Amino acid sequence: MSTAVRHQVLLVAICSLTFFTNLGATHLWEEDEAYFGRTAQEMRHRHDYLVPYFNGQISLHKPILLFWVILASFQCWGENEFAARFGSALFGIGNVILVYHLGRRLFSEQIGFWSALVLGTCLHFVVVSRAAVADPELIFFCTLPMLIFVAGTRLSRSRAAAVPVDAAHPVTAEELSWPGWVGIYASMGAAALTKGPVGFVLPTAVIGLFLLLSRADYLAALKTDARRSGLRKLGIWLVRVLWPSSFLRTVWSMRPITALMMLTLVAAPWYVAVGYLTNGEWPRGFFFVHNVGRFVNSFEGHDGGPLYYVLAICVGTFPWCLFNFQTLHQAFASLRRGDPSRPAYLLLLSWIVVWVGAFTFAGTKLPHYVLPAYPAIAILIGAFIATWLTHSVEFSRTWLRVAWLTLVLVGLGILTAMPMIAQTYAPGEESLARIGIIPLLGGVAGLIADERGRRRLAASLLGVVAVVFCITLLAWGAVRIDRQQTSPVVARWIKELAPGEHPTLAALGCFEASLLYYCDQNILKLQSHEQVRDFFTAHPSNAFLITTDRRIEGLQGQFPTDVNMLRETRRFLRPESLVLLGRSKLLAADAVRPADSPAEVDRSLGRLNR
C-alpha cells in the first residue's frame, strides 16, 4: 500500500469518527439547520423538486443543490436528523481528501497529510460538516477548481520538475488544457447552484489574482533598483499587477467563453426554470435581496469591524490556530526569499485574500462566509507543521511556548466560565465545563514534549486534542444541551392534545423554523394582539397559539374565555418561557409541566405517529 493510500485511509477513518459520531443524536438547531431541513421537508411533501418552499412561501435564501442533497438523504435514510446532516458529513470528508491532494501536489505528501488533518479537525469546519447547511458543498466545489488548476500547471510538483517555476518563468493560464478549464468552470457552476454568484465569482478571482501576481514578476520589481524606497518599489509592483493590458490579457487567458458555456450548462437551467415557475420572484429576491442587499447593508444585525474575520478564523481553526503567527511568518518569508515554494504560497495567500477581503467589505458579516478559505489556511498550517517537524527552519522558542500556554489558558477558561454560562442558559448542564480538561492537558503535554525536542510527539498530541475536543464538544456536549430544546416538546404537546388531527397553528413572538419542522406543518406568523383575537375567532376549534410568557400579559381579553394556557416550559437558551394556548377540557394546572428530554419526546412522537 502506497503512502498516499495509507494517508487517505487514515484521514477518512479520523473524519468518519469526528463527523459521524452521534450525528443524528440531536434535534435540528436554530436557525439554519431547521430552516433548511423544513424547506427540504416541505418540498418533499409538495413533490416539487425545483422550487424551494418554507412555510408555504417561496424560500429565497439558497439555490437548489443543498435541498437536493438533503432530499436524496431523506430518500435513503428517512426523514430524520441523521439524514438531514448525512450529505454535509460526506462532503466534509471529500473536502479533506481534496486538501490532502492539494497539499501533496503543492508541497509534499507529509504536508498534504498534516493539511488535511488540520482541516478535518478544526472546530468550525467540523461544526458545519455535522450540520444540515450548504457550506460543506460550497467548500468542495470551490476547492476542486484549485486542485484541477494546480494539477494542470507547473504548480504541481511533478510538472514543475520539467520546467522550474521562478520569476523568469511564472505560471500562466496557457499551461492548463481546455478540458482542465472545462472541469474548473463546471465545478464553479455547481458552486453557483449551492450558494449563488459567490461560488463562481470568488474562485475565479482567486485564480485570476494569482495569475496577475505571477505575471507581475514581484521579485523582479523589488530588485529593480536598490536605491528606490520601499513605497516606490510597492508602487511599481502595483502598476504591474493592475495595468489594464495585463489585466485584460490575464482575463482572456482564463477562457471566459468556456466559463460562460459551463455556467450556462451546469447552473443556468435551474435558475431559468425557477425564474419561470415563480414568475421571476425567486431570482429577484435571491439576487437583489440576499446577494446585493446583504453585501451593501447589514442584515439582522450581523455586522462587524475590519478585524471581524481575523478573530472568526482564529476561533474557527481552533486548536490549530495556535500556530497562526508562525504560519504567516513562514509564508511571507518564503515570498521574500523567492524559494521554489513561493508560487504555492502565492496561490494560497491569494485564495485567503480574495475570500476574506471580499466579505470584509460586505455589510453583512457571518463567520461561515469565509469557510471556503479554510482549505488554504489548513495547507499553510500544514506546511508550517511539516517544516517545524523536520527542523529545516528554526522558529522562536518564545512564540512556540506562547502557543502551548494559550491552549492551557483556553482549557482553564472553559473550566471557569462554562459553569456560569450553563447556569444561565442551560441549567443542570454545568458538567460541560469538563470539556476544558482536554485543551488544558493537551497544552501541558504538548509544551513538555516540545521542550524536550520531541516535536513529532507534540504535533501528534495536538492532533489528538483536536479530534477528542471536537467529538466531546459536538457528540457529547451538544447532546446534553439538546435536552433543553423546546420545539420537539411543543410538537409532542400538540399531538397529545389533538391526536390524529391536523390543527391550525399560529405563533406570536416565537416563530422558529424548528417548530415547523417538528410539528411537520406550516404555522401562521402573527404580529399583533388583534391578529390573535381574529385567529381564535376564525378557528373556534382545533387551533393552538404558541407564544411566550412575556406576551401573555398583553393578550388578556384578546381571545375567547374558553381559551386556556395548556402547556408551559422554559424556552431554549432564552430567559423566558414558551406557552401553548388553545381550547381544551384539560385544566391549566394539570396541563402545565416541565419539558421532557429529547429521548422521551422522540418516544412519545413515535407512539403518537403509530
Side-chain angles (χ1 to χ4, degrees):
M1 184 183 293
S2 66
T3 302
V5 173
R6 286 199 304 272
H7 281 166
Q8 291 177 84
V9 169
L10 180 57
L11 289 168
V12 170
I14 292 172
C15 291
S16 296
L17 182 67
T18 308
F19 299 164
F20 282 101
T21 301
N22 273 354
L23 182 63
T26 62
H27 297 91
L28 298 184
W29 303 94
E30 295 291 347
E31 169 179 339
D32 288 348
E33 266 205 312
Y35 184 94
F36 299 141
R38 173 56 188 170
T39 301
Q41 186 184 60
E42 194 164 339
M43 291 176 66
R44 190 172 187 233
H45 295 175
R46 286 174 170 268
H47 301 287
D48 186 341
Y49 303 107
L50 289 177
V51 181
Y53 278 89
F54 176 80
N55 203 31
Q57 298 179 339
I58 299 171
S59 172
L60 306 173
H61 286 266
K62 291 290 181 291
I64 199 65
L65 187 60
L66 166 65
F67 305 117
W68 283 344
V69 170
I70 297 177
L71 286 167
S73 296
F74 280 170
Q75 190 66 29
C76 294
W77 306 103
E79 206 170 281
N80 54 61
E81 291 85 356
F82 175 84
R85 297 165 177 151
F86 179 77
S88 292
L90 280 186
F91 274 98
I93 293 175
N95 283 312
V96 169
I97 297 303
L98 288 181
V99 166
Y100 171 75
H101 286 289
L102 260 172
R104 183 172 68 89
R105 286 185 174 274
L106 287 172
F107 296 102
S108 66
E109 288 183 336
Q110 184 183 23
I111 291 177
F113 175 79
W114 282 106
S115 302
L117 181 64
V118 168
L119 181 69
T121 57
C122 71
L123 181 59
H124 198 178
F125 182 81
V126 176
V127 168
V128 299
S129 295
R130 295 175 57 93
V133 294
D135 299 287
E137 290 91 332
L138 178 67
I139 299 170
F140 184 88
F141 290 116
C142 290
T143 303
L144 181 57
M146 304 306 154
L147 178 58
I148 297 172
F149 179 74
V150 169
T153 64
R154 282 175 295 125
L155 282 168
S156 179
R157 290 183 304 134
S158 60
R159 289 178 175 268
V163 181
V165 181
D166 52 32
H169 302 89
V171 175
T172 63
E174 289 79 3
E175 296 177 27
L176 188 63
S177 65
W178 183 76
W181 286 110
V182 168
I184 285 175
Y185 291 127
S187 179
M188 292 182 189
L193 279 177
T194 303
K195 222 167 185 178
V198 68
F200 196 89
V201 173
L202 294 190
T204 302
V206 170
I207 297 175
L209 178 61
F210 167 74
L211 293 173
L212 279 171
L213 296 178
S214 298
R215 191 184 293 273
D217 193 1
Y218 175 76
L219 289 179
L222 289 182
K223 298 177 181 178
T224 301
D225 189 343
R227 295 173 297 179
R228 289 174 176 164
S229 66
L231 288 177
R232 291 190 66 185
K233 292 175 182 179
L234 179 62
I236 293 172
W237 174 66
L238 286 174
V239 168
R240 292 190 178 204
V241 172
L242 301 175
W243 195 255
S245 61
S246 177
F247 178 82
L248 292 175
R249 186 162 58 248
T250 300
V251 170
W252 184 251
S253 70
M254 293 175 64
R255 298 180 181 265
I257 297 176
T258 301
L260 292 174
M261 179 183 71
M262 296 313 301
L263 185 63
T264 301
L265 289 175
V266 176
W270 178 79
Y271 280 98
V272 171
V274 76
Y276 173 77
L277 294 172
T278 61
N279 294 318
E281 180 180 349
W282 194 95
R284 284 193 301 270
F286 178 71
F287 289 112
F288 292 105
V289 177
H290 290 283
N291 281 267
V292 176
R294 285 182 180 271
F295 188 85
V296 175
N297 304 302
S298 174
F299 272 38
E300 301 162 351
H302 297 304
D303 54 6
L307 296 180
Y308 178 90
Y309 286 114
V310 174
L311 297 176
I313 289 171
C314 286
V315 175
T317 55
F318 181 83
W320 303 99
C321 58
L322 303 178
F323 296 143
N324 279 356
F325 175 83
Q326 297 92 330
T327 296
L328 289 175
H329 179 271
Q330 174 174 290
F332 286 111
S334 176
L335 291 179
R336 289 194 302 269
R337 290 193 304 267
D339 58 30
S341 62
R342 177 180 174 273
Y345 281 111
L346 194 61
L347 174 66
L348 296 174
L349 291 173
S350 299
W351 191 339
I352 296 169
V353 165
V354 166
W355 281 95
V356 176
F359 288 108
T360 296
F361 287 103
T364 304
K365 292 180 174 63
L366 288 167
H368 66 269
Y369 284 176
V370 297
L371 275 169
Y374 273 44
I377 297 170
I379 296 173
L380 288 178
I381 296 175
F384 160 75
I385 293 174
T387 303
W388 175 53
L389 293 180
T390 57
H391 296 261
S392 56
V393 177
E394 290 300 325
F395 298 91
S396 168
R397 296 296 312 158
T398 301
W399 280 109
L400 289 170
R401 288 167 183 158
V402 168
W404 294 113
L405 290 175
T406 300
L407 189 59
V408 172
L409 292 175
V410 170
L412 290 174
I414 295 173
L415 285 170
T416 304
M418 186 60 75
M420 294 182 287
I421 297 173
Q423 191 173 22
T424 302
Y425 295 101
E429 302 300 338
E430 289 79 6
S431 62
L432 292 172
R434 287 180 288 181
I435 295 174
I437 296 173
I438 300 168
L440 173 62
L441 296 180
V444 172
L447 177 61
I448 294 172
D450 191 14
E451 289 295 313
R452 293 180 177 179
R454 303 184 66 180
R455 295 184 177 181
R456 188 166 296 278
L457 174 60
S460 300
L461 284 171
L462 187 58
V464 172
V465 167
V467 173
V468 175
F469 181 81
C470 287
I471 292 177
T472 305
L473 178 66
L474 301 174
W476 175 74
V479 172
R480 295 187 66 88
I481 293 294
D482 185 65
R483 298 177 182 182
Q484 310 280 335
Q485 286 222 53
T486 46
S487 292
V489 177
V490 172
R492 195 215 56 183
W493 289 346
I494 292 169
K495 287 185 179 292
E496 284 182 345
L497 295 168
E501 300 179 15
H502 193 74
T504 303
L505 304 181
L508 175 68
C510 59
F511 185 85
E512 295 175 344
S514 57
L515 284 170
L516 282 75
Y517 181 86
Y518 287 106
C519 292
D520 195 12
Q521 67 179 85
N522 295 334
I523 298 176
L524 298 174
K525 187 176 182 179
L526 306 184
Q527 305 289 348
S528 66
H529 296 164
E530 291 74 16
Q531 289 181 331
V532 172
R533 182 184 61 242
D534 295 341
F535 170 73
F536 280 113
T537 301
H539 300 89
S541 63
N542 207 21
F544 298 98
L545 173 68
I546 307 162
T547 186
T548 66
D549 57 343
R550 296 182 178 181
R551 293 295 187 110
I552 288 290
E553 298 177 0
L555 289 175
Q556 300 300 327
Q558 298 296 322
F559 43 78
T561 56
D562 60 340
V563 173
N564 301 314
M565 185 174 70
L566 305 175
R567 297 284 192 272
E568 181 180 14
T569 188
R570 182 187 178 92
R571 191 177 181 188
F572 182 52
L573 299 182
R574 302 287 183 89
E576 59 186 5
S577 294
L578 202 65
V579 177
L580 183 69
L581 300 175
R583 296 178 174 88
S584 175
K585 296 179 181 179
L586 295 174
L587 294 176
D590 297 329
V592 176
R593 64 190 185 195
D596 296 320
S597 69
E600 292 171 329
V601 171
D602 290 339
R603 285 195 294 270
S604 298
L605 286 174
R607 289 195 300 269
L608 291 166
N609 287 331
R610 290 196 294 271

